[in-house]
């Protein structure tokens, strides 16, 4: 188990836990055609870091998460280079894994918490059965060891093991199921946890309890997390770093404060302006016109240009790469927009100090 | 237990409200015994005004809305439209009520008939209620309605089927259909919760324009307080918990200075789209995260097992009534009624 503090190492320092280069996912559709759902993602995840992946539905967030764990449906095909630097020094080529090695990678090295906790369980198995199945499939732990480990994790997510272990999934509330799922995903002490919309469809107070549990277990266990969500507020709450996805690419990435207070891509800016905060007066709100493009018919140049109010003729010529938008040392804020200098969030920012390093 | 006076039955000008719910109660018989989904709810809705009904799932929001729309008959209390109980109206007046109150559902993927074109969907009520005569007039009217909901040019949409439209476009069609009969009130039940954040605001803006230009009143149901804040800023908000209204008042006051411990817990719990601000959030002081079952409601104030202000003997005895604690803002809490809104500050954590 990685027991170092949850403090993230950022801006290219240290060795990334997960290094993703030119990652692409293609889906075969009928009549031999293909669509690219993820179109070349470069991303590093550092030990202890929490990275949020935000964007509208249909921009490739979930496909990206599934691709990383090699969980794509048969018609999906991932290419590129995904290197996992395990805590023990081993370097694993994730896309090249097969059979036994792949099974070992999944759950023990990297686990996923799915959206919709009910569908992630076998309705005929009690929680105890799920725990034992998972442990037996991956380890040689004895019954007692499994009971102890499961109990420990359930308590960590603030559940009563005696009650929960003997329950069927349907006997638990939505928030409890989601917390059981988080506990299960941590059974084998993975170094990376991928969470796909873990609190969508939960009530406000239930969502809060799941969010608090996530904060707590991350503090205690120090795993890294890739957190997929369309909810910007959740990203602000849980992430150290945020990456905005649009039409299968990352179009802006940076520290959470940089991205929320100094967004430099019109799409990120648009998303921020579309979400009303709760506290305080009503700020100016704006929506992003139109919807995400169909992956089968992407516009030329920057994929966001048809919806962008900063767009010029030049934007239709080439899809811009990620430009670094700051020369601050150790800050990796980058945006894929040729007009990034003109993009500003004109809202009061609480503090001027926007350094990416967590304070 | 009638508390009509606590929720003002008429607006400031003394007009009679267009629609009222007076002591409305809905009981369901279930295997687990009878449950009271909505208990003694008083509300009023006026043209051009927004009334937000917020609460978590199971709080009775949708049941209350269905009764307001005349889709379910209350087991107690009265729903009135234009001063008359809707369940004692004659056929003709009931039809007027049906035309005057329209419902926009949550899921535009389920609420539009997949085998009908948008034109067929929109013209069906026009023809059924004899609003227009002849095909050409119907097409003309449908095109006007689509323009009203920002689906322009309408010719691009009339012949399409729902599956050819995005979620936001479908929801606009659902709103256009609700507008066919010139409604006075639209009941919007989580109408934007299925939509992507990026288009939610534009749909709300469109609804806001209908409210202002066509003087449509809204009963706006949502679990998302941020959305209630945005759409209902100039209106009122009622917070429901386990079938009862626990707090009622002008939206800005409910959001920025809630006076019921439950409302405050909700607002404290919602993450903010702002990394610094959201650090001030948390599940402050709630004694339990479990929502009690409607079949076994706690005695007295139903929030007492979770409430940070709980006082034995006071809170678990009788159900608290809504009482005005600030001008226009009323709260159903024994402790706040006794000690004033300062009581809420007591459990503030030490920073």
């Amino acid at each position: 188990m990685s027991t170092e503090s949850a403090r993230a190492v950022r801006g290219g320092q240290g060795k990334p836990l997960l290094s993703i280069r030119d990652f692409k996912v293609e889906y075969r559709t009928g009549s031999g055609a293909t669509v690219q759902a993820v179109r070349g993602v470069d991303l590093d995840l550092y030990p202890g870091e929490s990275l949020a992946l935000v964007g509208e539905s249909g921009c490739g967030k979930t496909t990206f998460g599934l691709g990383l764990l090699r969980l794509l449906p048969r018609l999906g095909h991932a290419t590129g280079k995904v290197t996992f630097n395990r805590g023990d020094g081993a370097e694993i080529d994730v896309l090249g894994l097969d059979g036994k090695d792949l099974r070992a990678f999944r759950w023990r090295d990297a686990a996923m918490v799915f959206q919709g906790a009910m569908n992630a369980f076998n309705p005929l198995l009690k929680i105890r059965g799920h725990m034992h199945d998972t442990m037996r499939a991956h380890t040689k732990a004895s019954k007692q060891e499994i009971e102890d480990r499961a109990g420990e994790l359930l308590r960590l997510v603030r559940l009563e093991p005696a009650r929960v272990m003997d329950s069927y999934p349907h006997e638990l509330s939505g928030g409890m199921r989601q917390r059981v799922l988080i506990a299960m995903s941590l059974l084998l002490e993975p170094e990376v946890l991928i969470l796909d919309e873990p609190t969508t469809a939960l009530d406000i107070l239930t969502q809060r309890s799941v969010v608090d549990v996530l904060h707590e277990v991350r503090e205690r266990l120090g795993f890294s997390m890739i957190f997929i969500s369309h909810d910007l507020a959740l990203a602000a709450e849980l992430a150290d770093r945020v990456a905005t996805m649009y039409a299968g690419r990352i179009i802006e990435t940076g520290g959470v404060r940089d991205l929320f207070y100094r967004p430099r891509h019109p799409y990120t800016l648009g998303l921020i302006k579309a979400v009303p905060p709760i506290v305080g007066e009503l700020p100016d709100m704006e929506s992003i016109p139109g919807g995400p493009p169909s992956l089968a018919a992407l516009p030329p140049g920057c994929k966001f240009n048809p919806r962008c109010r900063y767009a010029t003729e030049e934007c239709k010529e080439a899809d811009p790469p990620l430009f670094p938008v700051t020369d601050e040392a150790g800050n990796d804020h980058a945006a894929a927009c040729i007009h990034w200098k003109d993009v500003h969030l004109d809202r009061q920012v609480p503090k001027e100090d926007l350094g990416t390093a967590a304070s | 237990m009638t508390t009509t006076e606590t929720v003002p039955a008429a607006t400031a000008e003394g007009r009679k409200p267009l629609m009222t719910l007076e002591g409305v109660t809905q009981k369901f018989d279930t295997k687990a015994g009878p449950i009271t989904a909505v208990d003694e709810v008083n509300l009023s809705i006026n043209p051009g005004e927004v009334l937000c009904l917020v609460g978590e799932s199971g709080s009775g929001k949708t049941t209350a809305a269905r009764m307001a729309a005349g889709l379910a008959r209350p087991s107690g209390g009265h729903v009135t439209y234009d001063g008359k109980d809707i369940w004692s109206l004659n056929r003709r007046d009931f039809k007027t009520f049906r035309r005057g109150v329209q419902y926009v559902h949550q899921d535009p993927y389920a609420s539009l008939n997949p085998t009908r074109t948008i034109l067929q969907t929109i013209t069906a009520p026009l023809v059924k209620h004899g609003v227009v005569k002849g095909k050409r007039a119907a097409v003309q009217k449908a095109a006007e309605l689509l323009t009203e909901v920002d689906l322009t040019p309408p010719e691009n949409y009339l012949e399409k089927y729902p599956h050819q439209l995005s979620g936001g476009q479908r929801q606009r069609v659902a709103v256009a259909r609700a507008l066919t009969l010139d409604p006075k009130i639209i009941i919007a039940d989580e109408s934007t919760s299925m939509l992507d954040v990026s288009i939610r605001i534009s749909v709300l803006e469109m609804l806001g324009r209908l409210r202002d230009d066509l003087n449509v009143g809204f009963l706006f149901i949502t679990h998302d307080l941020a959305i209630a804040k945005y759409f209902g800023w100039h209106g009122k908000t009622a917070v429901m918990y386990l079938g009862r209204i626990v707090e009622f008042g002008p939206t800005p006051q409910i959001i920025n200075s809630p006076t019921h411990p439950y409302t405050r817990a909700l607002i404290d719990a919602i993450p903010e789209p702002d990394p610094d601000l959201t650090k001030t959030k948390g599940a402050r002081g709630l004694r339990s995260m479990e929502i009690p079952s409607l079949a076994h409601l706690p005695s007295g104030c139903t929030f007492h097992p979770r409430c940070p202000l709980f006082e034995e003997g006071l809170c678990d005895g009788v159900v608290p009534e809504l009482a005005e604690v600030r001008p226009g803002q009323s709260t159903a809490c024994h402790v706040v009624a006794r000690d004033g809104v300062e009581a809420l500050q007591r459990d503030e954590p030490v920073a």
Side-chain angles (χ1 to χ4, degrees):
Chain A
M1 188 187 305
S2 114
T3 43
E4 302 104 288
S5 101
R7 178 59 50 85
V9 187
R10 282 184 211 87
Q13 306 150 24
K15 203 173 184 191
L17 188 62
L18 204 55
S19 172
I20 301 155
R21 291 290 172 271
D22 198 26
F23 187 71
K24 289 179 183 152
V25 177
E26 272 182 2
Y27 285 115
R28 255 186 301 137
T29 58
S31 65
T34 58
V35 289
Q36 257 190 0
V38 178
R39 302 179 305 115
V41 166
D42 297 336
L43 199 65
D44 288 319
L45 182 72
Y46 291 91
E49 187 178 47
S50 162
L51 172 81
L53 216 52
V54 299
E56 287 163 283
S57 36
C59 62
K61 304 189 298 288
T62 297
T63 295
F64 175 76
L66 292 175
L68 281 187
L69 283 191
R70 305 277 309 278
L71 289 169
L72 288 170
R74 272 226 319 274
L75 292 172
H77 181 64
T79 57
K81 184 92 186 144
V82 179
T83 315
F84 176 68
N85 295 304
R86 204 157 60 189
D88 60 11
E91 202 171 278
I92 296 167
D93 173 18
V94 175
L95 296 186
L97 289 177
D98 232 335
K100 210 170 90 222
D101 296 334
L102 180 58
R103 274 203 303 282
F105 168 75
R106 286 181 187 154
W107 220 315
R108 187 177 312 175
D109 291 335
M112 188 150 181
V113 176
F114 292 95
Q115 182 177 6
M118 191 62 209
N119 306 328
F121 288 107
N122 179 342
L124 301 176
L125 274 188
K126 290 182 178 171
I127 301 304
R128 168 167 288 116
H130 286 95
M131 296 283 186
H132 281 259
D133 272 5
T134 307
M135 287 291 270
R136 277 206 308 269
H138 291 271
T139 67
K140 292 195 175 71
S142 71
K143 268 190 180 157
Q144 193 52 47
E145 281 168 349
I146 299 175
E147 285 290 311
D148 292 347
R149 176 84 186 136
E152 182 193 331
L153 283 164
L154 286 174
R155 273 188 294 272
L156 200 59
V157 297
R158 297 195 212 143
L159 290 170
E160 191 49 61
R163 182 185 156 202
V164 172
M165 286 288 266
D166 285 311
S167 298
Y168 287 99
H170 77 266
E171 296 175 303
L172 304 175
S173 71
M176 290 168 85
R177 279 200 288 266
Q178 198 68 52
R179 281 181 283 160
V180 170
L181 213 53
I182 291 171
M184 268 173 64
S185 68
L186 297 171
L187 271 178
L188 302 161
E189 300 167 16
E191 291 178 60
V192 180
L193 194 59
I194 299 176
L195 301 113
D196 188 6
E197 306 271 9
T199 66
T200 307
L202 295 182
D203 269 319
I204 300 164
L205 293 173
T206 321
Q207 165 176 326
R208 168 51 61 187
S209 70
V210 172
V211 166
D212 287 352
V213 155
L214 276 174
H215 276 304
E216 248 175 65
V217 290
R218 200 162 75 86
E219 187 90 356
R220 289 276 286 278
L221 306 179
F223 52 85
S224 307
M225 169 162 122
I226 294 180
F227 174 86
I228 298 167
S229 180
H230 69 278
D231 184 348
L232 284 181
L234 227 46
E237 169 93 33
L238 279 166
D240 305 319
R241 207 149 57 89
V242 182
T244 317
M245 261 189 110
Y246 188 74
R249 271 192 61 203
I250 287 174
I251 49 93
E252 182 162 10
T253 167
V256 64
R257 305 188 75 234
D258 271 322
L259 216 87
F260 275 93
Y261 298 138
R262 287 196 299 212
R264 286 308 182 91
H265 194 286
Y267 180 62
T268 315
L269 179 76
L271 286 179
I272 292 171
K273 290 189 110 173
V275 184
I278 295 289
V279 170
E281 290 299 301
L282 198 62
D284 276 347
M285 306 296 305
E286 231 173 81
S287 58
I288 309 173
S294 153
L295 292 169
L298 289 170
C302 170
K303 304 308 170 221
F304 187 59
N305 87 69
R307 306 170 72 188
C308 181
R309 83 188 146 89
Y310 297 88
T312 55
E313 276 307 307
E314 210 185 334
C315 295
K316 293 180 189 160
E317 281 159 23
D319 207 357
L322 279 168
F323 301 108
V325 299
T326 170
D327 41 24
E328 239 172 88
N331 187 333
D332 62 351
H333 189 182
C337 176
I338 54 175
H339 299 298
W340 65 266
K341 286 194 177 99
D342 304 325
V343 181
H344 293 287
L345 178 66
D346 40 7
R347 258 189 215 169
Q348 193 92 39
V349 166
K351 273 181 267 167
E352 259 316 294
D353 157 42
L354 289 182
T356 9
S359 44
Chain B
M1 292 239 291
T2 359
T3 51
T4 346
E5 66 281 358
T6 52
V7 177
T11 48
E13 303 92 80
R15 275 186 291 132
K16 285 207 89 166
L18 184 60
M19 175 178 246
T20 63
L21 275 64
E22 291 165 16
V24 162
T25 298
Q26 182 70 273
K27 288 195 168 76
F28 294 119
D29 282 322
T30 67
K31 272 189 205 151
I35 61 166
T36 308
V38 172
D39 195 11
E40 299 274 341
V41 161
N42 295 297
L43 290 170
S44 61
I45 310 159
N46 275 302
E49 290 179 8
V50 174
L51 174 66
C52 297
L53 207 51
V54 301
E56 296 179 277
S57 36
S59 62
K61 309 183 296 279
T62 295
T63 307
R66 286 175 54 82
M67 288 190 288
L71 297 172
R73 192 167 185 157
S75 18
H78 301 279
V79 177
T80 73
Y81 181 73
D82 220 358
K84 280 173 260 167
D85 188 324
I86 59 166
W87 293 103
S88 55
L89 294 175
N90 61 32
R91 264 182 93 92
R92 220 187 68 224
D93 289 347
F94 193 75
K95 204 169 167 185
T96 316
F97 157 74
R98 272 270 193 266
R99 287 178 60 160
V101 178
Q102 293 291 324
Y103 206 95
V104 178
H105 296 269
Q106 173 169 9
D107 185 354
Y109 294 81
S111 67
L112 297 176
N113 187 333
T115 66
R116 285 189 182 174
T117 63
I118 304 309
L119 177 68
Q120 288 168 325
T121 291
I122 292 180
T123 50
L126 292 172
V127 173
K128 164 93 182 152
H129 286 266
V131 179
V132 293
K133 288 208 168 59
K135 184 149 190 271
R136 190 176 296 168
V139 175
Q140 172 78 25
K141 178 77 181 165
E144 277 168 30
L145 288 165
L146 287 181
T147 313
E148 197 80 73
V149 296
D150 297 333
L151 289 175
T152 48
E155 304 77 51
N156 288 359
Y157 297 94
L158 285 172
E159 293 306 325
K160 284 202 169 136
Y161 287 91
H163 75 266
Q164 294 169 298
L165 303 182
S166 71
Q169 289 168 340
R170 286 181 217 210
Q171 201 56 292
R172 285 171 198 274
V173 171
V175 173
R177 177 176 59 182
L179 289 176
T180 47
L181 302 172
D182 273 330
K184 303 285 183 289
I185 290 171
I186 289 182
I187 298 174
D189 187 359
E190 299 275 13
S191 300
T192 60
S193 58
M194 301 268 295
L195 305 179
D196 247 316
V197 281
S198 52
I199 43 177
R200 215 174 271 173
I201 293 296
S202 69
V203 171
L204 289 173
E205 266 170 12
M206 182 264 293
L207 293 178
R209 225 188 39 239
L210 302 177
R211 171 195 62 202
D212 299 339
D213 297 355
L214 306 179
N215 205 32
V216 178
F218 278 89
L219 178 58
F220 190 79
I221 293 155
T222 178
H223 70 282
D224 186 341
L225 278 145
I227 292 299
K229 173 183 176 179
Y230 179 74
F231 189 66
W233 190 247
H234 300 291
K236 302 234 165 65
T237 293
V239 181
M240 284 189 84
Y241 183 70
L242 295 177
R244 297 183 69 93
I245 293 177
V246 295
E247 183 162 7
F248 175 82
T251 308
Q253 271 171 251
I254 298 282
I255 300 281
N256 285 330
S257 55
T259 59
H260 193 285
Y262 175 67
T263 318
R264 214 192 68 161
L266 283 182
I267 287 169
D268 282 347
I270 303 170
E272 295 278 356
D274 179 320
D276 287 349
L277 195 56
T278 202
K279 287 208 178 72
T280 65
K281 297 289 189 133
R284 237 178 268 162
L286 273 196
R287 300 192 303 140
S288 153
M289 291 316 263
E290 301 300 314
I291 303 174
S293 147
L294 277 169
H296 307 281
L297 284 181
S299 63
C301 170
T302 50
F303 189 55
H304 87 253
R306 309 173 74 188
C307 183
L309 301 183
F310 171 67
E311 281 179 35
E312 214 174 329
L314 178 68
C315 300
D316 47 7
V318 285
V319 181
E321 299 290 338
L322 276 173
E324 195 165 69
V325 289
R326 280 205 199 110
Q329 191 171 5
S330 36
T331 284
C333 172
H334 291 303
V335 179
V336 172
R338 189 192 61 197
D339 301 351
V341 290
E342 295 75 33
L344 283 172
Q345 308 307 317
R346 263 190 273 150
D347 66 320
E348 207 69 56
V350 189

